[in-house]
């Protein structure tokens, strides 16, 4: 049988590429719509009109927007993210370390939250309508309902202020030992895990329960299969695609949406960098950060779609 | 003789959505001996599947075994713990589901699922299990027995899946096998092969079988005894011969009567070859998919079909699923515009697309779909469903419309009080009557009936056929009747067209008692099960040779 998987995956990647192009367009033109003239901002209120005009020419600001967009895109492809307006440092240097920090935090949170959420979601579905399922469901709804900053500040209050187990701020430079790593990341990771797991648990539970209601699971039950076997062998493989999507959507939040956690724990990540860039109207920095968020998001969603394609035997 | 299965005063209750408890099995008692086949027969909702599943100690979600005992091989499935039941499922008692297509896990290969029973119960090593499975595939006369197990369920046909499901049930060497309507979803031509395979294998191994079905003719071929169920109660238990020839209970008689729909009750209109046809189709082609360079769609489902319907007569179209009969109906109705050919109605050309036809033309030609459930808007009351075509075609409003709705409900023999209900509150037969009344509301000359009795129980379907005949007498309608069920078509049609792979292969006039000539129609006609219990065993093997040709 001819397999359609390669062409489907190629098609999906192509769509991702088109999305990225549209997004880069949107990012560029949305940032140029920000109020204020860049040259005026850079030179300050007291600059002479001649100086401003000179700077505009030097920065190509007097050229058509479409042309500037092309310059920017070509620069991106060459790895030139531009120079920060605020402190004249190449944007790549500014972002580099921060991105690594964010990826570290996101990676650790993923390592903790995904296995935890999948286990809880699957077991809750397995023992549906039992006390265990009720507790998991109520707990996840409770956690979804509490805003992140409440969880973060309570964690600081309890673990740092009263118990004095953990530092209130994340000292990322002191992570050479395992205990140091644990101390630095424990609270931000726990806070983020709370936030992203709840959705994954609920979606996993729903997806598994839906497949548990199918005739083929009933058939397996009538073959004498035990409950874990029903769930792991029969329900889960068919629930993979919705679960992968739920995981991707939840994790995409870790790339760009962790500003509250970064602020509260004073963690030097990329979200905080972008907010700082907005307050200083540092356009190249904003654009680069926005692009990074979009790429991260697209990567996750595309991966989830590819998992869905691969897990469907009808396409193999 | 010891009985392998002993059911004593079995009761099952179901909890409804409103929390009310309803007893759906009201004290059933039955014995099944080793090597014996007992059929459970009854209409949908009679509790026959529920009763069969209790042999596995299983009740569907929402149901509960609340009394009595079900002893299988000496152990009471009701009293056992869930874990103990699981050890017996697949090894002592096995289940063949109604829809094998839904009962196979789409994400695993067939072989993995067939031998799963041996792995769950640790009966034998994987290699040995595979050999056994291949032997079973061969015994069930499946094609390519050595390699079919490596495929995924969606890669094999429905009839093959049904036999694979039987292999899945037999691999653990069970003493009792439950067949839950295993051939209902199959074409008659496939059904014959599957039934024969089941019968051979179970007879060789002396397996006790419980065969659930609503089709008396199928049951007559395969069962030793028949248990007739209705409303969760046993109406009658007896040998096949007794039930077929000396039915005692009125319901059993009704079932038998429904199986012989009488061709009478209709006056065949006197038409001559000079009578102008009401519907005249010539060289009609239709299909699906994007148009190809030659102007034809990608998949051509109907190929150059020509047929005629004279006023007041009925044309039957028969064929297996996928032969293009429903596509033909959709092309005539203009829902799926034909890509080639002409449709003449009442002497005038019709546009191929319904959008371009005049309101009068639309009114004259109505279509009734197979599933009343999906054809009737669940959010509207019966009154609104019937009122809409009245306003659309006849401009009726207010009192005149109300009166007409009442008249329509009378015509289809439904109580007038139903007009305020919604489709979900009606039974299957009632919904199909409303579906038909909706077509009648337009006052058409011709009604296309697309498998309108296929989703109904035998008794209900027979009543619908009687209704159609009565209405034809009163209103002078013509029907184009599409079905895969020959007995239904024979009961109502003056002319039968056999379709095969998108083409008409033969036209048969039942009144002239002519024998089918084309090999496919011969196969089709000979595959329809007869009430005679020896039918399957003596069936001419010509059919098999033809199938290979």
């Amino acid at each position: 049988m001819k397999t359609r998987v390669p062409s489907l995956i190629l098609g999906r990647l192509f769509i991702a590429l088109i999305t990225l192009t549209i997004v880069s367009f949107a990012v560029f033109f949305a940032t140029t719509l920000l109020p204020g003239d860049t040259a005026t901002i850079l030179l300050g209120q007291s600059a002479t009109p001649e100086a401003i005009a000179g700077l505009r020419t030097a920065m190509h600001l007097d050229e058509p927007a479409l042309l500037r967009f092309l310059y920017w895109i070509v620069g991106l492809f060459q790895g030139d993210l531009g120079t920060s307006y605020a402190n004249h440092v190449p944007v790549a240097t500014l972002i580099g370390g921060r991105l690594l920090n964010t990826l570290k935090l996101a990676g650790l949170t993923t390592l903790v939250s995904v296995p935890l959420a999948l286990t809880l979601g699957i077991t809750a579905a397995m023992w549906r309508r039992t006390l265990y399922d009720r507790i998991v469901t109520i707990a996840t709804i409770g956690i979804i309902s509490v805003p992140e900053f409440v969880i973060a500040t309570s964690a600081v209050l309890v673990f740092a202020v009263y118990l004095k187990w953990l530092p209130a701020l994340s000292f990322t430079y002191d992570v050479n030992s395992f205990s140091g790593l644990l101390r630095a990341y424990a609270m931000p990771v726990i806070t983020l895990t709370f936030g992203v797991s709840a959705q994954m648990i609920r979606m996993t539970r729903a997806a598994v329960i839906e497949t548990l209601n199918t005739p083929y699971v009933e058939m397996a039950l009538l073959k004498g299969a035990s409950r874990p076997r029903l769930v792991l062998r029969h329900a889960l493989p068919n629930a993979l695609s919705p679960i992968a999507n739920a995981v991707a959507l939840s994790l995409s939040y870790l790339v760009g949406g962790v500003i509250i956690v970064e602020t509260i724990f004073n963690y030097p990540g990329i979200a905080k960098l972008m907010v700082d860039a907005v307050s200083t109207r540092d356009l190249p920095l904003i654009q680069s950060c926005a692009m990074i968020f979009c790429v991260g998001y697209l990567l996750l969603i595309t991966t989830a779609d590819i998992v869905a394609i691969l897990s469907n035997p009808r396409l193999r | 003789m010891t009985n392998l299965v002993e059911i004593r005063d079995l009761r099952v209750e179901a909890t409804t959505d409103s929390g009310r408890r309803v007893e759906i099995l009201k004290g059933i008692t039955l014995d099944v001996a080793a090597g014996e086949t007992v059929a459970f027969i009854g209409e949908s909702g009679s509790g026959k599947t529920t009763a069969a599943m209790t042999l596995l100690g299983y009740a569907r979600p929402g149901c509960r075994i609340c009394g009595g005992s079900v002893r299988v091989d000496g152990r009471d499935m009701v009293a056992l713990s869930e874990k103990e039941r699981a050890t017996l499922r697949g090894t002592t008692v096995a289940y063949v589901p109604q829809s094998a297509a839904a009962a196979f896990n789409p994400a695993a290969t067939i072989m993995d699922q067939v031998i799963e029973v041996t792995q769950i119960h640790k009966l034998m090593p994987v290699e040995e299990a595979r050999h056994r499975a291949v032997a079973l595939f061969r015994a069930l006369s499946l094609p390519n027995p050595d390699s079919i197990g490596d495929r995924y369920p969606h890669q094999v046909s429905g009839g093959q899946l049904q036999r694979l499901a039987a292999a899945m049930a037999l691999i653990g060497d069970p003493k009792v096998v439950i067949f839950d309507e295993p051939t209902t979803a199959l074409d008659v031509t496939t059904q014959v092969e599957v039934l024969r395979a089941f019968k051979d294998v179970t007879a060789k191994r002396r397996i006790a079988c419980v065969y659930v079905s609503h089709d008396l003719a199928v049951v007559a071929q395969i069962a030793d005894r028949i248990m007739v169920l209705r409303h969760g109660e046993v109406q009658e238990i007896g040998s096949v011969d007794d039930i077929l020839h000396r039915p005692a209970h009125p319901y059993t008689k009704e079932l038998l009567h429904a199986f012989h729909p009488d061709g009478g009750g209709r006056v065949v209109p006197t038409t001559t070859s000079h009578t102008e046809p009401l519907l005249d189709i010539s060289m009609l082609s239709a299909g699906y998919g994007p148009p190809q360079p030659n102007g034809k769609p990608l998949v051509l489902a109907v190929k150059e079909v020509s047929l005629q319907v004279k006023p007041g007569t009925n044309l039957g179209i028969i064929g297996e699923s996928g032969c293009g009969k429903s596509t033909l109906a959709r092309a005539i109705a203009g829902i799926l515009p034909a890509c080639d050919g002409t449709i003449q109605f009442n002497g005038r050309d019709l546009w191929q697309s319904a959008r371009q036809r005049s309101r009068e033309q639309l009114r004259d030609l109505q279509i009734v779909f197979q599933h009343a459930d999906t054809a009737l808007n669940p959010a509207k009351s019966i009154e609104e469903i019937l009122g809409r075509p009245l306003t659309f075609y006849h401009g009726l409003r207010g009192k005149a419309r109300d009166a007409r709705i009442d008249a329509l409900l009378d015509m289809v023999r439904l109580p007038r009080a139903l007009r305020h209900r919604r489709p979900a509150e009606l039974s299957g037969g009632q919904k199909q009557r409303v579906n038909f009344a909706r077509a009648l509301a337009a006052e058409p000359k011709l009604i296309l009936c697309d498998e309108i009795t296929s989703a109904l129980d035998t008794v209900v379907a027979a009543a619908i056929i009687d209704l159609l005949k009565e209405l034809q007498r009163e209103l002078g309608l013509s029907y184009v009747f599409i079905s895969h069920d020959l007995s239904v078509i024979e009961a109502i049609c003056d002319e039968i067209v056999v379709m095969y792979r998108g083409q008409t292969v033969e036209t048969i006039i039942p009144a002239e008692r002519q024998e089918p000539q084309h090999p496919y129609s011969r196969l089709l006609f000979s595959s329809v099960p007869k009430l005679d219990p020896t039918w399957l065993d003596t069936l001419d093997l010509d059919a098999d040779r033809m199938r290979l040709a």
Side-chain angles (χ1 to χ4, degrees):
Chain A
M1 207 178 98
K2 214 179 94 191
T3 171
R4 284 158 57 208
V5 171
S7 67
L8 274 171
I9 290 180
L10 275 180
R12 193 61 197 79
L13 291 174
F14 183 66
I15 290 172
L17 212 64
I18 291 179
T19 317
L20 197 61
T21 315
I22 296 172
V23 162
S24 63
F25 220 73
V27 165
F28 184 85
F29 288 100
T31 46
T32 54
L33 284 180
L34 286 176
D37 179 72
T38 316
T40 323
I41 296 164
L42 283 178
L43 294 178
Q45 295 286 323
S46 53
T48 58
E50 291 77 26
I52 289 174
L55 188 66
R56 285 176 67 92
T57 319
M59 291 177 70
H60 305 291
L61 286 179
D62 49 354
E63 287 177 47
L66 206 62
L67 211 60
R68 281 187 285 139
F69 174 69
L70 283 180
Y71 287 144
W72 179 63
I73 284 289
V74 171
L76 279 188
F77 271 107
Q78 292 167 343
D80 173 20
L81 303 183
T83 310
S84 161
Y85 291 168
N87 42 18
H88 305 289
V89 178
V91 170
T93 333
L94 272 179
I95 287 178
R98 296 289 197 110
L99 182 62
L100 206 65
N101 282 341
T102 294
L103 288 180
K104 259 192 229 160
L105 184 59
L108 279 172
T109 312
T110 307
L111 282 182
V112 174
S113 66
V114 172
L116 181 81
L118 292 189
T119 314
L120 283 175
I122 292 168
T123 47
M126 211 184 290
W127 290 290
R128 188 171 24 150
R129 294 200 198 103
T130 59
L131 186 65
Y132 171 76
D133 176 30
R134 298 247 160 86
I135 292 172
V136 170
T137 308
I138 291 171
T140 47
I141 292 176
I143 289 166
I144 289 182
S145 320
V146 180
E148 214 164 45
F149 63 87
V150 176
I151 297 178
T153 34
S154 328
V156 170
L157 203 65
V158 173
F159 293 110
V161 178
Y162 292 137
L163 297 172
K164 298 199 167 62
W165 288 354
L166 300 166
L169 305 177
S170 285
F171 302 105
T172 47
Y173 41 83
D174 180 29
V175 289
N176 297 321
S177 64
F178 182 71
S179 64
L181 183 100
L182 213 60
R183 284 168 64 82
Y185 282 100
M187 277 202 288
V189 167
I190 288 171
T191 312
L192 285 174
T193 301
F194 272 24
V196 296
S197 300
Q199 200 66 24
M200 283 193 274
I201 292 173
R202 286 183 63 75
M203 295 293 286
T204 306
R205 179 179 174 275
V208 172
I209 283 178
E210 188 166 315
T211 45
L212 277 179
N213 288 332
T214 53
Y216 53 82
V217 172
E218 183 181 67
M219 185 66 229
L221 175 77
L222 296 179
K223 287 198 275 187
S226 61
R227 215 186 274 206
R229 191 185 178 97
L230 286 182
V231 171
L232 298 178
R233 293 287 292 265
H234 292 279
L236 201 56
N238 291 291
L240 218 54
S241 131
I243 292 176
N245 266 300
V247 169
L249 276 174
S250 294
L251 292 185
S252 64
Y253 167 79
L254 292 177
V255 184
V258 293
I259 178 64
I260 292 166
V261 171
E262 287 186 6
T263 309
I264 290 181
F265 298 108
N266 199 24
Y267 186 87
I270 197 166
K272 204 152 174 293
L273 182 71
M274 185 177 181
V275 174
D276 292 343
V278 171
S279 58
T280 55
R281 297 198 188 175
D282 199 343
L283 289 194
L285 195 51
I286 298 174
Q287 286 163 351
S288 303
C289 289
M291 284 306 285
I292 287 171
F293 297 158
C294 293
V295 169
Y297 187 85
L298 268 175
L299 269 179
L300 284 163
I301 297 295
T302 309
T303 315
D305 279 353
I306 291 174
V307 167
I309 291 172
L310 289 177
S311 73
N312 186 348
R314 276 162 205 270
L315 302 176
R316 269 206 290 266
Chain B
M1 188 171 68
T2 53
N3 287 315
L4 205 50
V5 179
E6 289 179 354
I7 302 178
R8 293 286 173 271
D9 194 33
L10 173 70
R11 287 165 193 282
V12 173
E13 66 177 20
T15 313
T16 62
D17 291 337
S18 55
R20 216 157 42 89
R21 287 197 177 157
V22 187
E23 208 162 65
I24 52 174
L25 285 186
K26 300 163 188 162
I28 286 177
T29 298
L30 176 78
D31 290 330
V32 185
E36 188 187 30
T37 300
V38 176
F40 291 7
I41 196 158
E43 63 201 15
S44 52
S46 61
K48 53 190 194 298
T49 297
T50 311
M53 285 194 151
T54 60
L55 265 68
L56 293 145
Y58 178 71
R60 289 232 160 95
C63 299
R64 197 172 68 85
I65 300 173
C66 60
S69 68
V70 181
R71 300 188 81 81
V72 177
D73 199 21
R75 304 186 70 179
D76 185 359
M77 296 302 281
V78 178
L80 292 180
S81 74
E82 186 61 29
K83 230 180 207 145
E84 290 169 311
R85 282 178 202 152
T87 61
L88 296 181
R89 289 176 185 157
T91 53
T92 304
V93 48
Y95 177 72
V96 179
Q98 173 168 14
S99 167
F104 271 96
N105 184 342
T109 61
I110 288 166
M111 181 58 87
D112 283 347
Q113 299 186 59
V114 169
I115 64 170
E116 194 182 4
V117 166
T118 64
Q119 289 174 288
I120 292 171
H121 304 287
K122 303 195 172 56
L123 298 177
M124 60 188 88
V126 177
E127 266 320 297
E128 197 190 329
R130 281 172 191 272
H131 282 301
R132 273 186 83 116
V134 171
L136 271 172
F137 295 162
R138 203 163 272 133
L140 289 162
S141 45
L142 279 156
N144 312 320
D146 295 308
S147 61
I148 196 166
D150 302 328
R151 301 204 207 164
Y152 283 91
H154 67 274
Q155 294 168 326
V156 301
S157 76
Q160 290 169 7
L161 266 185
Q162 207 66 54
R163 275 175 279 171
L164 288 164
M168 186 157 79
L170 294 171
I171 192 120
D173 249 336
K175 294 178 175 147
V176 183
V177 176
I178 296 157
F179 291 94
D180 185 6
E181 306 225 21
T183 62
T184 306
L186 304 177
D187 282 316
V188 278
T189 47
T190 326
Q191 175 173 274
V192 172
E193 300 168 38
V194 174
L195 280 180
R196 209 181 263 167
F198 286 174
K199 201 171 177 176
D200 284 351
V201 173
T202 53
K204 272 191 198 122
R205 297 168 175 234
R206 291 206 25 92
I207 293 169
C209 297
V210 167
Y211 197 99
V212 179
S213 180
H214 67 266
D215 191 336
L216 258 178
V218 167
V219 159
Q221 309 311 315
I222 208 147
D224 302 308
R225 284 194 297 149
I226 296 177
M227 174 166 92
V228 182
L229 274 166
R230 192 183 202 189
H231 304 315
E233 284 172 284
V234 179
Q235 307 294 321
E236 200 171 352
I237 302 183
S239 71
V240 171
D241 192 50
D242 280 344
I243 297 281
L244 293 186
H245 300 116
R246 292 172 290 280
H249 197 276
Y251 177 67
T252 318
K253 287 180 184 155
E254 210 180 318
L255 263 178
L256 276 169
H257 176 75
F259 198 79
H260 299 290
D262 46 87
R266 280 189 63 224
V267 185
V268 179
T270 46
T271 52
T272 60
S273 51
H274 303 298
T275 318
E276 277 297 308
L278 181 65
L279 179 73
D280 189 353
I281 295 166
S282 92
M283 303 299 278
L284 196 74
S285 297
Y288 302 92
Q292 302 299 296
N294 62 3
K296 300 256 162 69
L298 183 63
V299 183
L300 209 55
V302 175
K303 293 169 206 154
E304 298 179 349
V305 168
S306 301
L307 46 85
Q308 291 188 342
V309 182
K310 302 243 165 76
T313 66
N314 299 333
L315 175 76
I317 300 175
I318 192 164
E320 63 195 3
S321 57
C323 74
K325 53 192 193 301
S326 283
T327 309
L328 179 61
R330 288 160 60 86
I332 297 172
I335 303 167
L336 175 85
C339 63
D340 203 12
T342 57
I343 309 170
Q344 274 199 341
F345 190 79
N346 230 356
R348 280 192 308 179
D349 271 336
L350 281 189
W351 286 101
Q352 280 163 349
S353 164
R355 287 175 192 285
Q356 290 165 299
R357 294 182 188 173
S358 73
R359 186 169 291 198
E360 197 63 16
Q361 287 169 336
L362 290 175
R363 188 184 68 71
D364 279 342
L365 182 64
Q366 291 286 313
I367 184 165
V368 182
F369 294 104
Q370 174 177 3
H371 295 289
D373 286 315
T374 49
L376 302 179
N377 186 338
K380 303 261 187 214
S381 66
I382 303 306
E383 185 177 54
E384 287 171 289
I385 290 171
L386 296 180
R388 212 182 122 67
L390 291 175
T391 312
F392 180 78
Y393 289 118
H394 306 293
L396 289 183
R397 279 171 214 290
K399 275 218 173 101
R401 192 172 86 155
D402 278 351
R404 185 75 189 133
I405 293 172
D406 279 342
L408 283 170
L409 288 172
D410 289 347
M411 266 189 228
V412 295
R413 310 282 178 274
L414 285 175
R416 291 182 182 186
L418 284 185
R419 60 185 294 161
H420 302 296
R421 300 226 200 137
R422 284 172 211 285
E425 298 166 53
L426 305 184
S427 73
Q430 286 175 327
K431 269 183 272 195
Q432 200 55 279
R433 282 167 194 257
V434 172
N435 197 14
F436 198 74
R438 193 210 52 76
L440 285 179
E443 294 174 27
K445 293 196 173 72
L446 179 74
I447 300 182
L448 303 168
C449 305
D450 187 2
E451 301 262 13
I452 60 170
T453 58
S454 304
L456 304 175
D457 288 314
T458 336
V459 175
V460 183
I464 294 270
I465 296 292
D466 285 341
L467 173 72
L468 293 193
K469 286 184 200 164
E470 259 179 65
L471 289 172
Q472 180 161 44
R473 259 202 315 272
E474 289 164 23
L475 306 172
L477 297 164
S478 290
Y479 302 123
V480 171
F481 207 91
I482 292 163
S483 180
H484 65 271
D485 187 347
L486 188 65
S487 63
V488 170
I489 288 218
E490 275 181 329
I492 195 165
C493 294
D494 307 299
E495 216 178 293
I496 301 173
V497 169
V498 181
M499 271 187 87
Y500 183 57
R501 294 191 181 162
Q503 285 169 317
T504 54
V505 295
E506 192 169 6
T507 306
I508 294 162
I509 297 164
E512 294 175 9
R513 301 230 159 263
Q514 85 197 65
E515 286 293 313
Q517 297 303 315
H518 189 275
Y520 176 73
S521 11
R522 288 227 299 265
L523 170 64
L524 190 69
F525 279 60
S526 67
S527 299
V528 179
K530 308 266 187 308
L531 275 180
D532 173 12
T534 59
W535 169 78
L536 185 65
D537 299 326
T538 56
L539 183 63
D540 191 0
L541 289 172
D542 233 16
D544 291 297
R545 255 174 269 135
M546 221 142 42
R547 204 170 283 124
L548 294 173

